[in-house]
Amino acid sequence: MPIYSKEEAQALLKKVLSYSKADECEVSLRGNDGGNIRTALNAVSTAGDISTVGLAVSSVFGKKTGTATINEFDDASLEKVVRRSEELAQLAPENPETMPMLGPQKFEDSIQYNAKTAAMTPESRAEMIGKAFDVTKAANLQAAGFLENTTRFTAVMNSKGLFAYDKSTDVIYSVTTRNAAGTVSGYAARGFTDVSKLDTASATKIASQKALSSANAKAIEPGKYTVILEPVAGVYMLENMFRFDARSAEEGRSFLSKKGGGTRLGEKLMDEKVNIYSDPFNTELPGPTWSNEGQRLERTDWIKEGVVKNLSYSRYWAQKKGVQPVPGPSNIIMDGGTTSLEEMIKSTERGILVSRLWYIRMVDPQSLLLTGLTRDGTFYIENGKIMFPVKNFRFNESPVIMLNNVEALGKPERTISVESYRSYLIPPMKIRDFTFTSLSDAV
Amino acid sequence: MRRRDFIYLSGLGAGSAMIANSAFGKSIYQEQLLTTIDIRAKKELADVALNTAKAKGASYADIRIGRYLNQAIVTRETRVLNVANSESFGVGIRVLADGCWGFAAGNTVTKEGVAKIAERAVAVAKANAKLGSKPVQLAPQKGFGEVSWKTPIEKNAFEVPIKEKIDLLLTANGEAIKLGANFVNSTIFSINEQKYFASTDGSYIDQDIHRLYPNFQVTKIDRDLGAFETRAALSSPVGMGYEYLTPSESEKVQGVVTRYKNRYDMIEDIKNATKNATEKVAAKSVEPGKYDLVLDPSHLWLTIHESVAHPTELDRVLGYEANYAGTSFLSLEKLKSGNFHFGSKNMNIVADKLQAGSLGAVGYDDEGVKCGKWDLVKDGVLVNFQAIRDQAHMIGLDHSQGCCYAQSWDDVQFQRMPNVSLQPGKEKLSVDDMIKNVEKGIYIVGNGSFSIDQQRYNFQFGGQLFYEIKNGKIVGMLNDVAYQATNQEFWNSLTAVCDQSDYRLGGAFNDGKGQPSQSNAVSHGSSTARFNGVNVINTKRKIG
């Protein structure tokens, strides 16, 4: 039984806490249940079905903490794991950053769980993949894709009276469509809480259209271009920026550090169209309602009208700095605008439409300079029209510079990062002066 | 640690960090690190799984009973941030049924538990077989009976008291602070994979694999300039025991900065790193243009990894990674032609799953194939790929090359790279002699940022330390350096490789690939090598 209900989890955690003799004790229980199918060349390559559940106990004596875990839940095992954590705490070095545990908090139930997603089976996954294959076979293309569903729960209780429970589901699907000769390629990615919103056939159709349109790509000179980043491209770029950590900024080793000391909190770093925030109750992208440190999560603005509005402060760092703690982002939502993708193209004199970015790595953490490449559908725009597909580019660009050069934003869409598989709500973006530094022959 | 765990997003996925050390699995008590599971019990469990799978209709089945031990010690300046002993124990069962693969995993390691997991694996295979894919074709593999293999370590890292490791790290941090570092963190990761593999071919393989990775980062901040620079350790992750952390003068490579072979001196390196970070803040920003690059093995390993080891993976060549890590500019046709020139005649690349001290060294892979060594590129010409059992026939092999690996028991095994290395030059050539002949060049030490396209053509690499070479002499330090090249052009510009005396291993502790993404640890060796006329860009930018 990897997924416990709130009541089942509460009963078990209470029992574990009753064995504690430490100054403070925290018990966590979590489980995962899910499966996946991976495909290539219009066939299944691997598929799996995985379930796990585990319990962790942290005991604290003064500033000394010890943690032990177990996955056997009889009374003797539960008491044993508590004793173990206490022994470990006594052996541990003191950590001056240890904070007292929080007492009772009020958390609203999150809206991250969907029963239909939780009920997915190997058969239903195979059926969804079959629909994708129908599309690619009809288009004489080959699908390489990945479908994964996960149901998870986490519950925590401590000796100060805190209790929190969360249950969530996720399903993600991504597909790359190529021809047998390997001369064209297209991509689509989707992520949802509710599997009934996932249409593998329509996503695969978009990837197939991209692939078919990408034939005979021409080489054009690298340089500074206006780019239109579709959400799946934009999110991978921005994901590397979502570290609004006060401590590293105050220590002088972040892009949010200020020359001469201090942070850039309150400074206008980006275009005023840029609003980035977290909100656990966004229906398109629900998030957890409590943080790693047992704090209530609420809507938090990170960038508002281009100004750095909040930095995250851990409880330890907040106490040291004499400010209120601010939990880090629970999810990331970027406001959009009203410009459609078509309108963005129409208003572009000379630019590049980017479907996907790839292999983004940090070059310079001070300016947040990133490098990476375009992939799976890159198109040249001239005088408001897509003229032809172009060969891929390598870029060297900072997301901070990029968000200073925003020309237009579209309607936000839930999308997944192609590398971390995290979901975000991000608009398509039209950006001027995006720096491409070289060409790639890769398809 | 999986790639997705590396993507730091404070607070995202709330709750996950409440279970301490969640990225590694469950935390355990120190004494448990030194216990092992009775091999007879594992064989009994394996037989239950294999028999159940066969009874349910599997034509082939294998089981991996894995116990993965990890220890992470993390310090920052004068504080210990975390000591995490963790264990992940469970069973992964892979079956072939109706010509299709199925996999299931769980941590109920009882006879009843593994029987249920085997049934689930067969159910997954049968559900997917309805999609009508071409049946899997497995290269034959003889059963080895009951055999075992162990990493040849001198000192088990898990037997070294935690206090000794903490003392080393805090002493190292202290040296950095004394020399003016503004920020320093240091870590020691130790890994022990206790893997038991059994298959319906008749193999029962018990392996005990050890890896170690000491590392640090020193940061120097100039608040007035609003600038900061970092230098990471010049250590390498290794397939060795704690003996790697016993300094030895004979294993040091002296030069503009000291580098290390089979033994590492963390205290000496962190002192040098602090000086280097300070120098980097004031170093001259590079003038972009063409340079001859002299690449130290502590840097070149990563270029080999990305530009040679990945493109020669057969699953990429065939398109199995197309949705994620990409395909390859290499093809079956290029291999079959027998005359595809990957690089200059100085380029000799060898795959070796048995290389001593390497991260990828094992006796048998994760589908029961005995490991070995083979050429990938000979005198610049592509001569082979890396294959597993269900791919071998595609390149005309009657056997697998033993390249199958899963990061843990709950991940399905698939094709991963072996240790892939550039062979040293045959003629005597020292680093000093190589530099003497360079008119306008840059000597790069240590690996920095890295990025390569999805077919492995266009790449960009940074580094830790960049030294300007003018008329045969190192004249000072440079900053903001990255080089861009296309793969074949770069390897065709390889004009010289130092001899065996300079040969060293570098390595990737967490190389990500696959969906769901998995990590693999692998080493890459080389001697210092020279590449002529490579395009260097300046990476300095200003924000706000």
Side-chain angles (χ1 to χ4, degrees), chain B residues 191-498:
Chain B
I191 283 183
N192 175 210
E193 294 184 355
Q194 297 169 13
K195 296 202 288 194
Y196 187 82
F197 172 92
S199 76
T200 48
D201 292 325
S203 286
Y204 297 89
I205 302 166
D206 195 40
Q207 300 197 89
D208 187 24
I209 297 148
H210 292 258
R211 296 196 285 271
L212 184 81
Y213 187 19
N215 198 9
F216 62 72
Q217 278 207 319
V218 171
T219 302
K220 182 73 187 170
I221 298 165
D222 186 324
R223 285 189 190 273
D224 294 335
L225 286 176
F228 63 91
E229 291 293 343
T230 295
R231 207 273 247 170
L234 296 179
S235 59
S236 175
V238 287
M240 295 174 69
Y242 203 74
E243 65 274 9
Y244 180 62
L245 282 165
T246 312
S248 161
E249 290 305 311
S250 64
E251 299 290 353
K252 290 178 185 175
V253 180
Q254 303 295 348
V256 65
V257 62
T258 306
R259 288 138 293 141
Y260 304 92
K261 286 189 177 176
N262 302 309
R263 297 289 186 275
Y264 176 58
D265 188 337
M266 185 179 251
I267 304 297
E268 177 188 66
D269 192 30
I270 207 163
K271 287 180 188 170
N272 287 331
T274 312
K275 287 179 208 154
N276 292 155
T278 308
E279 287 165 347
K280 275 173 91 172
V281 176
K284 189 171 94 174
S285 201
V286 70
E287 192 66 40
K290 299 266 185 195
Y291 290 84
D292 291 351
L293 300 183
V294 176
L295 302 181
D296 185 73
S298 62
H299 171 88
L300 186 54
W301 74 264
L302 183 54
T303 309
I304 294 167
H305 173 86
E306 299 289 0
S307 68
V308 185
H310 276 311
T312 51
E313 293 168 324
L314 184 52
D315 61 345
R316 281 182 198 256
V317 172
L318 296 169
Y320 285 87
E321 279 287 327
N323 188 46
Y324 182 59
T327 58
S328 174
F329 73 99
L330 300 174
S331 64
L332 295 179
E333 291 69 35
K334 283 174 180 165
L335 176 67
K336 277 178 202 158
S337 75
N339 62 6
F340 179 73
H341 288 267
F342 195 131
S344 76
K345 62 177 176 37
N346 298 302
M347 184 189 190
N348 286 287
I349 302 280
V350 165
D352 187 355
K353 288 282 290 179
L354 298 166
Q355 194 165 1
S358 70
L359 294 161
V362 287
Y364 303 84
D365 78 348
D366 281 354
E367 54 182 2
V369 177
K370 201 165 191 174
C371 292
K373 182 178 176 180
W374 65 101
D375 291 321
L376 291 170
V377 179
K378 208 163 170 46
D379 300 328
V381 176
L382 175 72
V383 294
N384 215 331
F385 287 138
Q386 315 156 29
I388 60 173
R389 288 184 68 184
D390 61 9
Q391 302 167 336
H393 65 279
M394 299 177 196
I395 49 171
L397 294 176
D398 59 3
H399 63 281
S400 161
Q401 289 163 316
C403 294
C404 206
Y405 177 77
Q407 80 171 354
S408 187
W409 54 268
D410 61 348
D411 293 293
V412 68
Q413 59 270 59
F414 71 120
Q415 198 261 299
R416 299 309 305 263
M417 69 173 73
N419 305 298
V420 171
S421 302
L422 174 68
Q423 298 305 285
K426 290 179 186 112
E427 286 166 29
K428 195 163 171 49
L429 179 66
S430 70
V431 179
D432 287 345
D433 287 340
M434 183 178 274
I435 288 172
K436 263 183 210 162
N437 293 318
V438 175
E439 272 181 42
K440 181 196 175 195
I442 303 174
Y443 178 42
I444 304 182
V445 176
N447 60 279
S449 75
F450 52 99
S451 174
I452 190 163
D453 70 37
Q454 75 277 11
Q455 285 194 299
R456 308 270 146 181
Y457 282 116
N458 174 310
F459 59 70
Q460 177 176 315
F461 290 100
Q464 290 295 315
L465 299 167
F466 310 99
Y467 294 98
E468 185 174 15
I469 305 170
K470 267 188 181 170
N471 301 320
K473 281 187 182 153
I474 289 174
V475 293
M477 193 183 262
L478 292 171
N479 207 350
D480 313 315
V481 176
Y483 63 91
Q484 284 187 355
T486 55
N487 203 335
Q488 265 181 282
E489 246 176 51
F490 177 78
W491 283 103
N492 274 293
S493 76
L494 173 64
T495 49
V497 185
C498 290

Side-chain angles (χ1 to χ4, degrees), chain A residues 195-245:
Chain A
V195 67
S196 55
K197 290 184 180 173
L198 175 58
D199 182 345
T200 50
S202 78
T204 309
K205 267 181 201 159
I206 289 168
S208 299
Q209 283 158 7
K210 289 258 183 202
L212 296 171
S213 311
S214 73
N216 303 315
K218 294 181 187 173
I220 63 169
E221 282 299 306
K224 282 190 185 291
Y225 284 89
T226 291
V227 292
I228 297 170
L229 299 177
E230 293 197 22
V232 78
V235 74
Y236 187 20
M237 187 85 189
L238 297 183
E239 185 179 52
N240 289 278
M241 187 193 72
F242 300 143
R243 306 174 189 200
F244 305 107
D245 176 45

